[in-house]
Amino acid sequence: MAGRGNFSSRLGFIAAAAGSAVGLGNIWKFPFEVGGGGGAAFVLIYLAFCFVLCYPVMVAEITIGRATHLNAAGAFSKLGFSRFRFIGILGVIAGIMILSFYNVVAGWALGYFIEMVMGNFAIGSQFGTFITNVFKVGAYGIVFMAATAFIVSRGVSQGIEKASKILMPTLIVIILSLTIYGLTLPNGSDGIAFYLVPDFSKITFEVVYNALGQAFFSLSLGMGALITYGSYLSREENIVTSAALITLADVGIAFLAGLMIFPFVFYQGLEPTGGAGLIFVTLPGVFESLGGAWGTIVGSLFFLLLSFAALTSTVSLLEVPVAYLVDEHKMKRGKAVWGMAGLIFLLGIPSLLANGYSEFFSSFITYFGAESSNSFMDLVEHISSDSFLPLGGFLIAVFVAYVWRKENWMAEIENGAPGFSETFLAKYLDFTLRYICPVILGAIFVLTVLSRFFGVNFFG
Ligand code: PHE
């Protein structure tokens, strides 16, 4: 595809797509969702969702993208079903919403890197004050958004692909080392027990839908990010194995992040239910315990790599609306990139203020029948990541199974995987996309909206 750009190699695509998947969702969000969702029970449900429901949706998204070489909305038109463009447009909107709050948290990560470089380990206990310093944190947010825009403006293979290939492996090494260290600490095993021994009485409907939202968010699914990345993938590549590698990398790193964090939480006598501040409160003390120079080195490296992991995700979030503007509205890439980045930063300002600085945005809304209020940032997250992504996944599964149809999507996969349609996996994908994904995703979506926003609960 002349002019649109392509990934230069299979590894490049996998690194970029895994880079999109692996981010704050794995290292920041997954542990606090586990902590708030009762531990191992949440982990089990999450894993089941990833492999049973999300993997087929991922294959579907990449296939739609590669078949059309177009953005999330244009892809549906090119396949001949313009009426389904709205799925892609919903994705563009979800991407804009997610990036608006994601960039705020990425700004925290970048800020923590600077604090670690300066040896300020006390920052862990001052997290609450740190995030209300909105001018400082906002400035980190501007730097982060600008870095994202810079990479996206350089295009697919020079920007996105190059950055991902180096950063991902380094991150894994440092998390692994920290995990091993955590296992040697007193009370570390209590953390492991919390994380790995399920207590099924902790499973409520809320735990189930949070796990589903988390699975979609973490795998970058349901909003066309992988349609868009798939659109830069060449016909020779094997979509099914690539998707499997991306899923394994993402789930593996989330799992490791949990293994790393809970021993540290229990060792320091902190609460696993600490919420969105969990890693920011917990880790600085751990780095301090490493002593002097080591603490500074490991601490800075950790938050630097966390920032990079976030960067390969923000890049994919920004790429979705940018590809849409470039393909559909014939906008110049540079103009689309910087315009969108500026707009999304502005849309993120209420989220920036929603962590204690502004009373109004911090307790922005109380849903029907709820006891406590939610911040503006929570609201955006609940709508985009917990509702729109599973909805997008539902629509994509229905589209692929019933509108585009089996012979067509199979044929596209066969391009890079001759003989695939005869395999067991092909039958499994066909079955899940046809029956399991629509039913489960559809049901959970409806029940989530009813219970979360309207206080209508069928499960007590
Ligand atoms: N998967 C990313 C993460 O875990 C976030 C993301 C969601 C990126 C949706 C792109 C699309 O951090």
Side-chain angles (χ1 to χ4, degrees):
M1 290 295 295
R4 257 186 113 249
N6 257 317
F7 287 109
S8 68
S9 68
R10 162 147 186 239
L11 188 64
F13 168 74
I14 293 176
S20 164
V22 176
L24 296 170
N26 308 58
I27 299 161
W28 161 71
K29 200 160 178 282
F30 178 72
F32 85 72
E33 294 279 351
V34 174
F42 179 98
V43 179
L44 265 183
I45 302 178
Y46 166 81
L47 291 175
F49 281 151
C50 286
F51 290 111
V52 179
L53 289 175
C54 294
Y55 173 70
V57 174
M58 180 181 287
V59 171
E61 277 203 34
I62 300 175
T63 311
I64 294 175
R66 200 193 49 190
T68 56
H69 289 301
L70 276 178
N71 65 91
F76 291 92
S77 309
K78 178 125 185 230
L79 291 173
F81 308 101
S82 300
R83 275 188 299 132
F84 291 86
R85 282 173 70 81
F86 78 93
I87 303 179
I89 294 184
L90 209 64
V92 170
I93 296 169
I96 291 173
M97 290 175 78
I98 292 177
L99 184 50
S100 78
F101 75 81
Y102 198 97
N103 191 65
V104 172
V105 182
W108 301 348
L110 189 59
Y112 260 56
F113 162 64
I114 310 283
E115 300 292 335
M116 290 297 113
V117 170
M118 297 186 311
N120 179 14
F121 298 111
I123 192 74
S125 54
Q126 298 153 4
F127 175 69
T129 338
F130 173 81
I131 55 177
T132 49
N133 193 342
V134 293
F135 293 100
K136 191 163 146 189
V137 188
Y140 289 130
I142 292 180
V143 173
F144 208 90
M145 189 62 90
T148 306
F150 176 73
I151 296 182
V152 176
S153 71
R154 293 184 44 120
V156 175
S157 69
Q158 286 307 307
I160 299 174
E161 186 176 330
K162 278 213 169 121
S164 311
K165 266 196 209 159
I166 314 170
L167 302 172
M168 296 280 305
T170 326
L171 180 69
I172 298 178
V173 172
I174 185 156
I175 295 183
L176 265 178
S177 322
L178 283 171
T179 306
I180 294 167
Y181 174 60
L183 293 175
T184 66
L185 294 173
N187 297 338
S189 54
D190 294 347
I192 298 293
F194 173 79
Y195 186 52
L196 295 183
V197 182
D199 171 357
F200 291 103
S201 68
K202 298 237 173 90
I203 299 183
T204 60
F205 182 61
E206 194 180 344
V207 169
V208 173
Y209 71 63
N210 280 337
L212 184 70
Q214 174 61 22
F216 268 78
F217 181 83
S218 181
L219 290 163
S220 306
L221 284 180
M223 53 152 282
L226 291 167
I227 296 183
T228 309
Y229 272 19
S231 78
Y232 304 115
L233 185 64
S234 91
R235 286 260 137 78
E236 287 94 70
E237 308 303 346
N238 184 329
I239 294 177
V240 244
T241 43
S242 301
L245 289 172
I246 297 161
T247 305
L248 283 174
D250 186 65
V251 172
I253 292 183
F255 189 77
L256 256 184
L259 219 45
M260 170 188 83
I261 199 80
F262 289 109
F264 291 149
V265 171
F266 282 77
Y267 163 65
Q268 295 179 85
L270 298 168
E271 285 300 323
T273 47
L278 192 63
I279 66 163
F280 293 103
V281 173
T282 308
L283 288 176
V286 173
F287 298 134
E288 187 171 25
S289 76
L290 292 174
W294 269 114
T296 308
I297 294 170
V298 178
S300 327
L301 204 61
F302 178 85
F303 282 107
L304 183 66
L305 289 168
L306 180 64
S307 305
F308 279 126
L311 190 60
T312 49
S313 300
T314 53
V315 158
S316 70
L317 283 161
L318 185 59
E319 178 64 28
V320 172
V322 165
Y324 171 74
L325 292 174
V326 171
D327 291 343
E328 304 298 303
H329 296 280
K330 305 291 166 249
M331 217 184 247
K332 284 251 170 9
R333 194 169 176 89
K335 204 168 140 195
V337 168
W338 292 99
M340 253 304 153
L343 174 74
I344 296 175
F345 180 80
L346 293 179
L347 292 174
I349 289 179
S351 292
L352 175 69
L353 305 180
N355 293 287
Y357 181 81
S358 145
E359 183 53 37
F360 176 70
F361 287 117
S362 303
S363 28
F364 187 69
I365 187 168
T366 306
Y367 303 138
F368 288 106
E371 274 149 31
S372 51
S373 65
N374 282 287
S375 73
F376 183 87
M377 185 160 142
D378 289 336
L379 174 68
V380 177
E381 198 218 306
H382 292 162
I383 297 178
S384 58
S385 118
D386 293 351
S387 309
F388 278 13
L389 299 186
L391 174 64
F394 164 79
L395 293 168
I396 287 164
V398 169
F399 173 81
V400 166
Y402 297 100
V403 182
W404 195 22
R405 292 180 180 277
K406 183 178 169 190
E407 55 281 12
N408 297 310
W409 65 261
M410 280 292 182
E412 178 58 38
I413 293 181
E414 284 253 344
N415 281 323
F420 172 71
S421 49
E422 301 303 317
T423 61
F424 172 75
L425 186 58
K427 298 192 174 60
Y428 172 79
L429 287 178
D430 180 43
F431 181 79
T432 38
L433 287 170
R434 229 186 257 256
Y435 306 110
I436 311 285
C437 296
V439 172
I440 299 190
L441 292 176
I444 297 184
F445 169 73
V446 173
L447 295 173
T448 301
V449 171
L450 287 176
S451 107
R452 175 168 262 163
F453 300 110
F454 299 100
V456 182
N457 275 307
F458 295 97
F459 301 96

